Each structure stands twice: as C-alpha cells, then as structure tokens.
Amino acid sequence: MAVQSGTYKGVSAADRAADRRRRLLDAALSVWADPDQRTTMTAVCRAAGLTERYFYESFGGLDEVLSAVVEEVGTEIESTTLAAADAAGADPAARITAAVAAFVDLLVADPRKGRVAIIEAAALPGLRARRTQLLRHFAHLAAEEAQHHAARRHEDELAGLLFIGGMAEVVTAWLDGALDVAPEEVVATASRAYLGLYPT
C-alpha cells in the first residue's frame, strides 16, 4: 500500500508512517508476550489502535511483524551487552560480568523482550530458524570475546554454544517462574560458567 503524501498538522507522511510502524511493533511485543492473548493481526492492530489498512502499510503479514520484533530485541541485546563489556575495560572477568549484568538488567526492565525472543519465537515454525541463527550468532560473539585471552578457535565456538544454550534455558525457566532466583544470582552464576568454559 502506498504511503499517503503530504504534511498533516506539521507532521510529514513519512513520519506518520514511521510512527504507525513503531506503534505496531510495540503492540506486537505486548500481545505476543501475553500468555492470555492469541497473537493475531487483529489483536496487534487493536493494541496499536490502528486498522488493518495501516498494518499492511508496514508489514506483509503477522510473521513479518513478529520477525521484526525479534530482530529489534536481538539488536538491542547485542548493542547493550557489547557496550557494557567495552565499558568494563580489559579484565575478562569484569567484561563478562558486565555483559551478563546488562543482559539481565534488560530482561528485568522488560521481561517481554526475553519472552518473545527466547521462548515464544521457538514455538513458531516461521521464526524458529531465525531464533537458532541468533543464538548461534551470540555464541560466536561469546567465542570472539574469549579470543581476547585464549587461542582455541574451534573449542571457543563449541563453548560459546554451550554457554548461550545454557543461558537460553536459564532465561526460559526464570521468565516462566520455574526458577526462583534473584537477578544477581543469575549474573554471578552465568559469569562463573563462562569463565569456567573460557579459563584465563
């Protein structure tokens, strides 16, 4: 569908379309993360306060908007954790603790993000493969981090998969309420696990 041209109340058509897209993404996150709601295009539009006409302005279908949500969450996790590690300096233990703490803080601030990217995406055939790709990407980042103080490239990649896979299981249990621990305990345990896999 073509975006309408022209300015309305001082806001350009492009800006209005971008705002509607943002509202749909935020609505999709909320609806998808709510176990009491069915995730449908109608539910997303209702939560965004928009008609289906505007949905198709930005997305070709439900899978497309959900995929966009997962991509946004993945990008936020990566940028947040890498920035925290870099700010922590050169010490491997300080870097991994800072990165894990930033990740956990993100989930504490908005548990919906962890739920959709790690739990819900695994249940949808159209997103399962992308979720696997993202987990492997983060495993590769974990291996790259270890290569600052180690030189076992193939072993590093394997250890990265073990670490990220374990973190995904911990987050799943934690967000589902099956794991009743404080965020600080998750950070401490995950950091010890990483340093055990990648001894300095």
Side-chain angles (χ1 to χ4, degrees), residues 68-120:
V69 170
V70 170
E71 296 297 333
E72 278 202 342
V73 173
T75 298
E76 183 178 5
I77 290 171
E78 181 172 350
S79 62
T80 300
T81 54
L82 290 180
D86 288 343
D91 179 69
R95 288 178 64 84
I96 190 59
T97 299
V100 174
F103 172 60
V104 170
D105 286 347
L106 190 155
L107 298 187
V108 170
D110 194 345
R112 301 174 306 169
K113 294 176 179 178
R115 176 164 293 281
V116 300
I118 297 173
I119 301 174
E120 301 300 334

Side-chain angles (χ1 to χ4, degrees), residues 54-183:
Y54 289 118
F55 182 95
Y56 286 113
E57 173 186 69
S58 296
F59 303 103
L62 183 63
D63 279 357
E64 192 172 318
V65 70
L66 298 183
S67 179
V69 170
V70 170
E71 296 297 333
E72 278 202 342
V73 173
T75 298
E76 183 178 5
I77 290 171
E78 181 172 350
S79 62
T80 300
T81 54
L82 290 180
D86 288 343
D91 179 69
R95 288 178 64 84
I96 190 59
T97 299
V100 174
F103 172 60
V104 170
D105 286 347
L106 190 155
L107 298 187
V108 170
D110 194 345
R112 301 174 306 169
K113 294 176 179 178
R115 176 164 293 281
V116 300
I118 297 173
I119 301 174
E120 301 300 334
L124 295 180
L127 292 176
R128 197 173 298 139
R130 182 54 183 151
R131 175 187 180 274
T132 298
Q133 289 174 348
L134 285 172
L135 290 179
R136 288 179 179 171
H137 173 67
F138 283 111
H140 179 71
L141 292 179
E144 280 191 334
E145 173 64 28
Q147 286 165 18
H148 291 302
H149 56 269
R152 306 176 309 279
R153 289 188 179 273
H154 294 298
E155 293 177 18
D156 285 347
E157 294 288 341
L158 180 58
L161 285 170
L162 285 169
F163 176 70
I164 295 300
M167 281 297 296
E169 288 300 316
V170 167
V171 169
T172 297
W174 190 37
L175 293 179
D176 277 344
L179 187 64
D180 185 17
V181 296

